[in-house]
Short mmCIF file of all heavy atoms in Angstrom, two decimals:
data_model
loop_
_atom_site.label_atom_id
_atom_site.label_comp_id
_atom_site.label_asym_id
_atom_site.label_seq_id
_atom_site.Cartn_x
_atom_site.Cartn_y
_atom_site.Cartn_z
N MET I 29 167.57 85.12 -60.47
CA MET I 29 166.13 85.03 -60.31
C MET I 29 165.71 86.10 -59.30
O MET I 29 166.28 86.20 -58.23
CB MET I 29 165.74 83.64 -59.83
CG MET I 29 164.28 83.53 -59.48
SD MET I 29 163.82 81.91 -58.86
CE MET I 29 164.03 80.92 -60.32
N LYS I 30 164.73 86.90 -59.67
CA LYS I 30 164.19 87.87 -58.76
C LYS I 30 163.13 87.23 -57.89
O LYS I 30 162.50 86.28 -58.29
CB LYS I 30 163.57 89.02 -59.54
CG LYS I 30 164.55 89.84 -60.33
CD LYS I 30 163.86 90.99 -61.04
CE LYS I 30 162.80 90.52 -61.95
NZ LYS I 30 162.16 91.52 -62.75
N LEU I 31 162.94 87.77 -56.68
CA LEU I 31 161.99 87.21 -55.78
C LEU I 31 160.57 87.28 -56.36
O LEU I 31 159.77 86.38 -56.14
CB LEU I 31 162.03 87.96 -54.44
CG LEU I 31 161.52 87.23 -53.25
CD1 LEU I 31 162.18 85.86 -53.12
CD2 LEU I 31 161.76 88.01 -52.00
N SER I 32 160.29 88.27 -57.17
CA SER I 32 158.96 88.36 -57.81
C SER I 32 158.71 87.24 -58.80
O SER I 32 157.54 86.97 -59.14
CB SER I 32 158.82 89.72 -58.50
OG SER I 32 159.78 89.88 -59.49
N ASP I 33 159.75 86.57 -59.25
CA ASP I 33 159.59 85.45 -60.17
C ASP I 33 159.33 84.14 -59.45
O ASP I 33 159.17 83.11 -60.08
CB ASP I 33 160.87 85.28 -61.03
CG ASP I 33 161.16 86.48 -61.89
OD1 ASP I 33 160.21 87.19 -62.24
OD2 ASP I 33 162.32 86.70 -62.22
N CYS I 34 159.25 84.17 -58.15
CA CYS I 34 159.26 82.95 -57.34
C CYS I 34 157.91 82.35 -57.10
O CYS I 34 157.79 81.35 -56.41
CB CYS I 34 159.91 83.23 -55.99
SG CYS I 34 161.63 83.82 -56.19
N ILE I 35 156.86 82.93 -57.64
CA ILE I 35 155.53 82.45 -57.32
C ILE I 35 155.30 81.01 -57.81
O ILE I 35 154.70 80.23 -57.16
CB ILE I 35 154.49 83.41 -57.91
CG1 ILE I 35 154.59 84.76 -57.19
CG2 ILE I 35 153.07 82.87 -57.81
CD1 ILE I 35 153.76 85.87 -57.77
N SER I 36 155.85 80.66 -59.00
CA SER I 36 155.57 79.35 -59.56
C SER I 36 156.69 78.34 -59.36
O SER I 36 156.60 77.26 -59.90
CB SER I 36 155.25 79.52 -61.04
OG SER I 36 156.40 80.01 -61.71
N VAL I 37 157.71 78.66 -58.59
CA VAL I 37 158.80 77.71 -58.38
C VAL I 37 158.68 77.09 -56.99
O VAL I 37 158.05 77.64 -56.09
CB VAL I 37 160.19 78.36 -58.55
CG1 VAL I 37 160.36 78.91 -59.93
CG2 VAL I 37 160.43 79.42 -57.50
N THR I 38 159.28 75.92 -56.84
CA THR I 38 159.22 75.27 -55.53
C THR I 38 160.21 75.94 -54.57
O THR I 38 161.13 76.65 -55.03
CB THR I 38 159.59 73.77 -55.66
OG1 THR I 38 160.96 73.69 -56.04
CG2 THR I 38 158.71 73.06 -56.65
N ASP I 39 160.05 75.68 -53.30
CA ASP I 39 160.99 76.23 -52.30
C ASP I 39 162.38 75.74 -52.59
O ASP I 39 163.36 76.49 -52.47
CB ASP I 39 160.58 75.80 -50.90
CG ASP I 39 159.33 76.50 -50.40
OD1 ASP I 39 158.96 77.55 -50.99
OD2 ASP I 39 158.74 76.03 -49.42
N LYS I 40 162.53 74.47 -53.02
CA LYS I 40 163.86 73.95 -53.31
C LYS I 40 164.50 74.67 -54.49
O LYS I 40 165.67 75.07 -54.44
CB LYS I 40 163.76 72.45 -53.63
CG LYS I 40 165.10 71.82 -53.93
CD LYS I 40 164.95 70.31 -54.21
CE LYS I 40 166.27 69.70 -54.61
NZ LYS I 40 166.12 68.26 -54.85
N GLN I 41 163.73 74.90 -55.53
CA GLN I 41 164.24 75.63 -56.71
C GLN I 41 164.66 77.05 -56.32
O GLN I 41 165.69 77.54 -56.79
CB GLN I 41 163.18 75.69 -57.81
CG GLN I 41 162.92 74.36 -58.46
CD GLN I 41 161.70 74.40 -59.36
OE1 GLN I 41 160.72 75.09 -59.07
NE2 GLN I 41 161.76 73.68 -60.49
N LEU I 42 163.84 77.68 -55.50
CA LEU I 42 164.14 79.03 -55.04
C LEU I 42 165.44 79.06 -54.22
O LEU I 42 166.28 79.92 -54.41
CB LEU I 42 162.96 79.58 -54.25
CG LEU I 42 163.06 80.99 -53.75
CD1 LEU I 42 163.32 81.97 -54.88
CD2 LEU I 42 161.78 81.36 -53.00
N ALA I 43 165.57 78.12 -53.31
CA ALA I 43 166.77 78.03 -52.47
C ALA I 43 168.02 77.80 -53.34
O ALA I 43 169.07 78.46 -53.14
CB ALA I 43 166.62 76.92 -51.42
N ILE I 44 167.94 76.88 -54.29
CA ILE I 44 169.07 76.63 -55.16
C ILE I 44 169.45 77.87 -55.94
O ILE I 44 170.63 78.19 -56.04
CB ILE I 44 168.74 75.44 -56.12
CG1 ILE I 44 168.67 74.14 -55.31
CG2 ILE I 44 169.77 75.36 -57.23
CD1 ILE I 44 168.12 72.95 -56.09
N SER I 45 168.47 78.58 -56.42
CA SER I 45 168.75 79.81 -57.17
C SER I 45 169.49 80.83 -56.28
O SER I 45 170.44 81.47 -56.71
CB SER I 45 167.45 80.39 -57.70
OG SER I 45 167.67 81.62 -58.31
N LYS I 46 168.99 80.99 -55.06
CA LYS I 46 169.63 81.97 -54.15
C LYS I 46 171.04 81.54 -53.81
O LYS I 46 171.95 82.34 -53.73
CB LYS I 46 168.79 82.11 -52.87
CG LYS I 46 167.43 82.72 -53.06
CD LYS I 46 167.49 84.12 -53.65
CE LYS I 46 167.84 85.14 -52.61
NZ LYS I 46 167.88 86.50 -53.12
N LEU I 47 171.25 80.23 -53.59
CA LEU I 47 172.58 79.75 -53.26
C LEU I 47 173.53 79.87 -54.43
O LEU I 47 174.72 80.19 -54.22
CB LEU I 47 172.49 78.30 -52.79
CG LEU I 47 171.74 78.08 -51.47
CD1 LEU I 47 171.66 76.60 -51.16
CD2 LEU I 47 172.39 78.84 -50.35
N GLU I 48 173.06 79.66 -55.64
CA GLU I 48 173.93 79.81 -56.81
C GLU I 48 174.37 81.25 -57.01
O GLU I 48 175.43 81.49 -57.59
CB GLU I 48 173.20 79.30 -58.05
CG GLU I 48 173.11 77.78 -58.10
CD GLU I 48 172.31 77.28 -59.31
OE1 GLU I 48 171.53 78.05 -59.92
OE2 GLU I 48 172.44 76.08 -59.58
N ALA I 49 173.61 82.19 -56.48
CA ALA I 49 173.99 83.60 -56.61
C ALA I 49 175.10 84.01 -55.64
O ALA I 49 175.72 85.03 -55.84
CB ALA I 49 172.75 84.47 -56.39
N LEU I 50 175.31 83.19 -54.62
CA LEU I 50 176.37 83.50 -53.67
C LEU I 50 177.76 83.22 -54.26
O LEU I 50 177.90 82.37 -55.15
CB LEU I 50 176.22 82.64 -52.39
CG LEU I 50 175.00 82.92 -51.53
CD1 LEU I 50 174.91 81.87 -50.44
CD2 LEU I 50 175.08 84.28 -50.91
N THR I 51 178.74 83.91 -53.76
CA THR I 51 180.12 83.66 -54.24
C THR I 51 180.62 82.34 -53.70
O THR I 51 180.08 81.81 -52.72
CB THR I 51 181.07 84.78 -53.77
OG1 THR I 51 181.17 84.70 -52.35
CG2 THR I 51 180.58 86.16 -54.17
N GLU I 52 181.64 81.83 -54.31
CA GLU I 52 182.24 80.58 -53.87
C GLU I 52 182.81 80.71 -52.45
O GLU I 52 182.96 79.73 -51.73
CB GLU I 52 183.31 80.09 -54.83
CG GLU I 52 182.78 79.63 -56.16
CD GLU I 52 181.85 78.41 -56.03
OE1 GLU I 52 182.16 77.48 -55.29
OE2 GLU I 52 180.77 78.44 -56.72
N ALA I 53 183.13 81.92 -52.07
CA ALA I 53 183.72 82.14 -50.74
C ALA I 53 182.64 82.24 -49.63
O ALA I 53 182.98 82.43 -48.48
CB ALA I 53 184.55 83.43 -50.76
N ALA I 54 181.39 82.08 -50.00
CA ALA I 54 180.30 82.21 -48.99
C ALA I 54 180.50 81.14 -47.89
O ALA I 54 180.75 79.98 -48.19
CB ALA I 54 178.96 82.05 -49.65
N SER I 55 180.35 81.58 -46.68
CA SER I 55 180.48 80.63 -45.54
C SER I 55 179.13 80.00 -45.27
O SER I 55 178.09 80.39 -45.81
CB SER I 55 180.94 81.42 -44.30
OG SER I 55 179.88 82.32 -43.89
N LEU I 56 179.15 78.98 -44.41
CA LEU I 56 177.89 78.36 -43.98
C LEU I 56 177.00 79.36 -43.30
O LEU I 56 175.78 79.31 -43.45
CB LEU I 56 178.18 77.15 -43.09
CG LEU I 56 178.79 75.95 -43.76
CD1 LEU I 56 179.13 74.88 -42.71
CD2 LEU I 56 177.83 75.38 -44.81
N HIS I 57 177.60 80.28 -42.58
CA HIS I 57 176.83 81.36 -41.93
C HIS I 57 176.10 82.20 -43.00
O HIS I 57 174.92 82.52 -42.85
CB HIS I 57 177.75 82.23 -41.09
CG HIS I 57 177.05 83.39 -40.51
ND1 HIS I 57 176.28 83.34 -39.39
CD2 HIS I 57 177.03 84.71 -40.88
CE1 HIS I 57 175.76 84.53 -39.12
NE2 HIS I 57 176.21 85.39 -40.01
N ASP I 58 176.82 82.56 -44.07
CA ASP I 58 176.22 83.33 -45.17
C ASP I 58 175.04 82.56 -45.78
O ASP I 58 173.98 83.15 -46.07
CB ASP I 58 177.25 83.68 -46.25
CG ASP I 58 178.39 84.51 -45.73
OD1 ASP I 58 178.20 85.30 -44.79
OD2 ASP I 58 179.50 84.41 -46.31
N ILE I 59 175.25 81.28 -46.01
CA ILE I 59 174.24 80.44 -46.63
C ILE I 59 173.00 80.38 -45.73
O ILE I 59 171.84 80.54 -46.19
CB ILE I 59 174.80 79.04 -46.91
CG1 ILE I 59 175.86 79.14 -48.00
CG2 ILE I 59 173.68 78.08 -47.31
CD1 ILE I 59 176.68 77.89 -48.18
N ARG I 60 173.23 80.11 -44.45
CA ARG I 60 172.13 80.04 -43.49
C ARG I 60 171.36 81.35 -43.45
O ARG I 60 170.11 81.36 -43.44
CB ARG I 60 172.64 79.69 -42.08
CG ARG I 60 171.47 79.47 -41.11
CD ARG I 60 171.96 79.20 -39.70
NE ARG I 60 172.35 80.47 -39.12
CZ ARG I 60 173.52 80.69 -38.49
NH1 ARG I 60 174.34 79.68 -38.31
NH2 ARG I 60 173.84 81.86 -37.98
N GLU I 61 172.08 82.47 -43.43
CA GLU I 61 171.45 83.77 -43.37
C GLU I 61 170.56 84.00 -44.60
O GLU I 61 169.44 84.48 -44.50
CB GLU I 61 172.53 84.85 -43.28
CG GLU I 61 171.96 86.23 -42.97
CD GLU I 61 173.07 87.19 -42.70
OE1 GLU I 61 173.80 87.57 -43.65
OE2 GLU I 61 173.21 87.60 -41.54
N GLU I 62 171.07 83.67 -45.79
CA GLU I 62 170.27 83.82 -47.02
C GLU I 62 169.00 82.99 -46.94
O GLU I 62 167.92 83.46 -47.33
CB GLU I 62 171.09 83.38 -48.25
CG GLU I 62 172.10 84.41 -48.68
CD GLU I 62 171.45 85.71 -49.20
OE1 GLU I 62 170.47 85.66 -49.96
OE2 GLU I 62 171.97 86.77 -48.83
N LEU I 63 169.10 81.77 -46.48
CA LEU I 63 167.93 80.91 -46.40
C LEU I 63 166.96 81.36 -45.35
O LEU I 63 165.74 81.27 -45.54
CB LEU I 63 168.37 79.45 -46.15
CG LEU I 63 169.15 78.79 -47.29
CD1 LEU I 63 169.60 77.39 -46.87
CD2 LEU I 63 168.36 78.77 -48.56
N GLU I 64 167.44 81.92 -44.25
CA GLU I 64 166.55 82.47 -43.21
C GLU I 64 165.79 83.66 -43.74
O GLU I 64 164.59 83.83 -43.48
CB GLU I 64 167.34 82.82 -41.98
CG GLU I 64 167.77 81.60 -41.16
CD GLU I 64 168.68 81.93 -40.00
OE1 GLU I 64 169.12 83.11 -39.86
OE2 GLU I 64 168.97 81.04 -39.21
N ILE I 65 166.48 84.53 -44.49
CA ILE I 65 165.81 85.71 -45.07
C ILE I 65 164.74 85.26 -46.05
O ILE I 65 163.61 85.73 -46.05
CB ILE I 65 166.84 86.62 -45.73
CG1 ILE I 65 167.73 87.28 -44.69
CG2 ILE I 65 166.14 87.70 -46.62
CD1 ILE I 65 168.97 87.99 -45.26
N LEU I 66 165.09 84.30 -46.88
CA LEU I 66 164.16 83.78 -47.89
C LEU I 66 162.91 83.18 -47.19
O LEU I 66 161.79 83.41 -47.61
CB LEU I 66 164.85 82.73 -48.75
CG LEU I 66 164.08 82.15 -49.89
CD1 LEU I 66 163.64 83.23 -50.87
CD2 LEU I 66 164.94 81.14 -50.63
N ASP I 67 163.16 82.43 -46.13
CA ASP I 67 162.07 81.82 -45.37
C ASP I 67 161.16 82.89 -44.78
O ASP I 67 159.91 82.77 -44.80
CB ASP I 67 162.60 80.91 -44.29
CG ASP I 67 161.51 80.21 -43.51
OD1 ASP I 67 160.63 79.58 -44.15
OD2 ASP I 67 161.51 80.33 -42.26
N ALA I 68 161.74 83.96 -44.23
CA ALA I 68 160.95 85.03 -43.64
C ALA I 68 160.08 85.72 -44.70
O ALA I 68 158.92 86.06 -44.44
CB ALA I 68 161.85 86.03 -42.95
N ILE I 69 160.66 85.93 -45.85
CA ILE I 69 159.90 86.55 -46.95
C ILE I 69 158.74 85.66 -47.38
O ILE I 69 157.61 86.12 -47.53
CB ILE I 69 160.80 86.90 -48.12
CG1 ILE I 69 161.78 88.01 -47.76
CG2 ILE I 69 159.99 87.26 -49.37
CD1 ILE I 69 162.92 88.22 -48.75
N GLN I 70 159.00 84.40 -47.54
CA GLN I 70 157.99 83.44 -47.94
C GLN I 70 156.88 83.37 -46.87
O GLN I 70 155.67 83.33 -47.20
CB GLN I 70 158.56 82.05 -48.19
CG GLN I 70 159.49 81.96 -49.38
CD GLN I 70 158.79 82.13 -50.69
OE1 GLN I 70 158.58 83.27 -51.13
NE2 GLN I 70 158.45 81.04 -51.34
N SER I 71 157.25 83.38 -45.61
CA SER I 71 156.27 83.32 -44.52
C SER I 71 155.40 84.60 -44.54
O SER I 71 154.17 84.52 -44.32
CB SER I 71 156.98 83.21 -43.17
OG SER I 71 157.61 81.97 -43.08
N GLY I 72 156.02 85.72 -44.76
CA GLY I 72 155.28 86.98 -44.83
C GLY I 72 154.31 87.03 -46.00
O GLY I 72 153.16 87.49 -45.86
N ARG I 73 154.74 86.53 -47.13
CA ARG I 73 153.85 86.48 -48.28
C ARG I 73 152.65 85.55 -48.01
O ARG I 73 151.54 85.86 -48.38
CB ARG I 73 154.60 85.99 -49.54
CG ARG I 73 155.51 87.02 -50.08
CD ARG I 73 156.23 86.50 -51.31
NE ARG I 73 156.83 87.63 -52.02
CZ ARG I 73 157.26 87.61 -53.24
NH1 ARG I 73 157.14 86.49 -53.94
NH2 ARG I 73 157.80 88.66 -53.77
N LYS I 74 152.92 84.41 -47.38
CA LYS I 74 151.82 83.50 -47.05
C LYS I 74 150.85 84.13 -46.10
O LYS I 74 149.63 84.04 -46.25
CB LYS I 74 152.39 82.21 -46.46
CG LYS I 74 151.33 81.19 -46.13
CD LYS I 74 151.91 79.91 -45.53
CE LYS I 74 150.79 78.95 -45.23
NZ LYS I 74 151.18 77.86 -44.38
N ALA I 75 151.35 84.82 -45.09
CA ALA I 75 150.50 85.50 -44.11
C ALA I 75 149.64 86.56 -44.81
O ALA I 75 148.45 86.68 -44.51
CB ALA I 75 151.35 86.14 -43.01
N ALA I 76 150.25 87.30 -45.72
CA ALA I 76 149.46 88.32 -46.45
C ALA I 76 148.36 87.68 -47.30
O ALA I 76 147.23 88.19 -47.33
CB ALA I 76 150.42 89.14 -47.33
N ARG I 77 148.69 86.58 -47.97
CA ARG I 77 147.68 85.88 -48.80
C ARG I 77 146.51 85.36 -47.90
O ARG I 77 145.38 85.36 -48.37
CB ARG I 77 148.28 84.72 -49.54
CG ARG I 77 149.08 85.08 -50.75
CD ARG I 77 149.39 83.82 -51.60
NE ARG I 77 150.03 82.76 -50.87
CZ ARG I 77 151.34 82.63 -50.68
NH1 ARG I 77 152.17 83.53 -51.13
NH2 ARG I 77 151.82 81.58 -50.01
N GLU I 78 146.83 84.99 -46.69
CA GLU I 78 145.81 84.45 -45.79
C GLU I 78 145.14 85.54 -44.96
O GLU I 78 144.33 85.24 -44.09
CB GLU I 78 146.45 83.42 -44.86
CG GLU I 78 146.96 82.19 -45.58
CD GLU I 78 147.76 81.24 -44.70
OE1 GLU I 78 148.05 81.61 -43.55
OE2 GLU I 78 148.07 80.15 -45.21
N GLY I 79 145.48 86.80 -45.23
CA GLY I 79 144.85 87.89 -44.50
C GLY I 79 145.34 88.09 -43.09
O GLY I 79 144.69 88.69 -42.25
N ARG I 80 146.53 87.54 -42.80
CA ARG I 80 147.09 87.67 -41.45
C ARG I 80 148.18 88.76 -41.40
O ARG I 80 149.21 88.57 -40.77
CB ARG I 80 147.70 86.33 -41.01
CG ARG I 80 146.68 85.22 -40.88
CD ARG I 80 147.30 83.92 -40.38
NE ARG I 80 148.22 83.34 -41.35
CZ ARG I 80 149.54 83.20 -41.14
NH1 ARG I 80 150.08 83.57 -40.02
NH2 ARG I 80 150.30 82.66 -42.09
N SER I 81 147.94 89.86 -42.06
CA SER I 81 148.90 90.93 -42.03
C SER I 81 148.17 92.24 -41.82
O SER I 81 146.95 92.32 -41.95
CB SER I 81 149.73 90.96 -43.30
OG SER I 81 148.86 91.17 -44.42
N LYS I 82 148.93 93.26 -41.52
CA LYS I 82 148.36 94.59 -41.27
C LYS I 82 149.00 95.58 -42.26
O LYS I 82 150.16 95.42 -42.66
CB LYS I 82 148.60 95.06 -39.86
CG LYS I 82 147.93 94.17 -38.81
CD LYS I 82 147.92 94.83 -37.46
CE LYS I 82 147.28 93.99 -36.40
NZ LYS I 82 145.95 93.53 -36.68
N SER I 83 148.25 96.61 -42.61
CA SER I 83 148.79 97.63 -43.47
C SER I 83 149.75 98.50 -42.66
O SER I 83 149.74 98.48 -41.41
CB SER I 83 147.67 98.48 -44.03
OG SER I 83 147.10 99.29 -42.97
N GLN I 84 150.55 99.31 -43.34
CA GLN I 84 151.46 100.18 -42.66
C GLN I 84 150.68 101.18 -41.77
O GLN I 84 151.07 101.46 -40.63
CB GLN I 84 152.32 100.97 -43.65
CG GLN I 84 153.30 101.89 -42.95
CD GLN I 84 154.26 102.54 -43.90
OE1 GLN I 84 154.48 102.08 -45.02
NE2 GLN I 84 154.86 103.62 -43.46
N LYS I 85 149.57 101.63 -42.26
CA LYS I 85 148.74 102.59 -41.49
C LYS I 85 148.24 101.94 -40.18
O LYS I 85 148.27 102.53 -39.15
CB LYS I 85 147.55 103.08 -42.34
CG LYS I 85 146.69 104.09 -41.62
CD LYS I 85 145.58 104.58 -42.50
CE LYS I 85 144.76 105.59 -41.75
NZ LYS I 85 143.69 106.14 -42.54
N GLU I 86 147.79 100.68 -40.27
CA GLU I 86 147.32 99.96 -39.07
C GLU I 86 148.42 99.81 -38.05
O GLU I 86 148.23 99.98 -36.85
CB GLU I 86 146.76 98.59 -39.47
CG GLU I 86 145.47 98.66 -40.26
CD GLU I 86 145.06 97.28 -40.79
OE1 GLU I 86 145.92 96.57 -41.33
OE2 GLU I 86 143.87 96.96 -40.68
N VAL I 87 149.62 99.47 -38.50
CA VAL I 87 150.77 99.32 -37.62
C VAL I 87 151.15 100.63 -36.98
O VAL I 87 151.38 100.72 -35.78
CB VAL I 87 151.97 98.72 -38.37
CG1 VAL I 87 153.21 98.71 -37.51
CG2 VAL I 87 151.65 97.33 -38.85
N GLU I 88 151.13 101.71 -37.76
CA GLU I 88 151.43 103.05 -37.21
C GLU I 88 150.44 103.43 -36.15
O GLU I 88 150.80 103.98 -35.12
CB GLU I 88 151.47 104.07 -38.31
CG GLU I 88 152.66 103.96 -39.23
CD GLU I 88 152.60 104.86 -40.45
OE1 GLU I 88 151.57 105.55 -40.63
OE2 GLU I 88 153.60 104.88 -41.21
N GLU I 89 149.15 103.10 -36.36
CA GLU I 89 148.14 103.41 -35.38
C GLU I 89 148.33 102.58 -34.08
O GLU I 89 148.11 103.08 -32.98
CB GLU I 89 146.75 103.17 -35.97
CG GLU I 89 146.38 104.18 -37.02
CD GLU I 89 145.10 103.82 -37.74
OE1 GLU I 89 144.50 102.73 -37.53
OE2 GLU I 89 144.67 104.65 -38.60
N LEU I 90 148.76 101.34 -34.23
CA LEU I 90 149.00 100.52 -33.06
C LEU I 90 150.14 101.08 -32.23
O LEU I 90 150.08 101.10 -31.00
CB LEU I 90 149.35 99.07 -33.49
CG LEU I 90 148.19 98.20 -33.93
CD1 LEU I 90 148.75 96.90 -34.53
CD2 LEU I 90 147.29 97.91 -32.76
N PHE I 91 151.23 101.51 -32.90
CA PHE I 91 152.37 102.07 -32.20
C PHE I 91 152.11 103.45 -31.62
O PHE I 91 152.78 103.88 -30.66
CB PHE I 91 153.62 102.04 -33.07
CG PHE I 91 154.25 100.72 -33.16
CD1 PHE I 91 154.01 99.88 -34.25
CD2 PHE I 91 155.12 100.25 -32.17
CE1 PHE I 91 154.62 98.62 -34.30
CE2 PHE I 91 155.69 99.02 -32.22
CZ PHE I 91 155.46 98.20 -33.26
N ALA I 92 151.16 104.17 -32.21
CA ALA I 92 150.87 105.51 -31.71
C ALA I 92 150.12 105.47 -30.39
O ALA I 92 150.17 106.42 -29.62
CB ALA I 92 150.07 106.28 -32.77
N SER I 93 149.41 104.40 -30.15
CA SER I 93 148.61 104.33 -28.92
C SER I 93 149.37 103.80 -27.74
O SER I 93 150.47 103.40 -27.78
CB SER I 93 147.38 103.44 -29.15
OG SER I 93 147.79 102.14 -29.50
#
């Protein structure tokens, strides 16, 4: 499952899909890391939908000053 396909699935379904893509040798650390990345992406998408994000140009301007 691609992340772009995740709009209509639940967080649980998305997590299961990501975990199924891991190898059987994946450690708990690997699993936690995958879920943390997924959570960060979901949080960023929510922030963007709510207008709580900045464009790349805005960020560059902030760092230039």
Side-chain angles (χ1 to χ4, degrees):
M29 174 182 291
K30 294 183 300 187
L31 204 51
S32 60
D33 298 334
C34 301
I35 295 172
S36 63
V37 300
T38 66
D39 288 344
K40 181 179 177 180
Q41 290 169 324
L42 183 55
I44 290 169
S45 175
K46 294 301 280 181
L47 294 176
E48 286 176 343
L50 292 172
T51 66
E52 290 299 316
S55 67
L56 288 175
H57 175 79
D58 297 332
I59 293 168
R60 185 184 76 228
E61 190 172 71
E62 282 295 316
L63 293 176
E64 287 174 353
I65 291 168
L66 185 58
D67 182 54
I69 292 169
Q70 293 292 83
S71 295
R73 286 181 167 197
K74 181 180 179 193
R77 282 192 307 273
E78 294 173 352
R80 297 183 293 116
S81 61
K82 298 194 180 305
S83 69
Q84 181 173 341
K85 183 178 180 178
E86 291 171 314
V87 173
E88 288 173 356
E89 290 171 356
L90 284 171
F91 280 98
S93 59

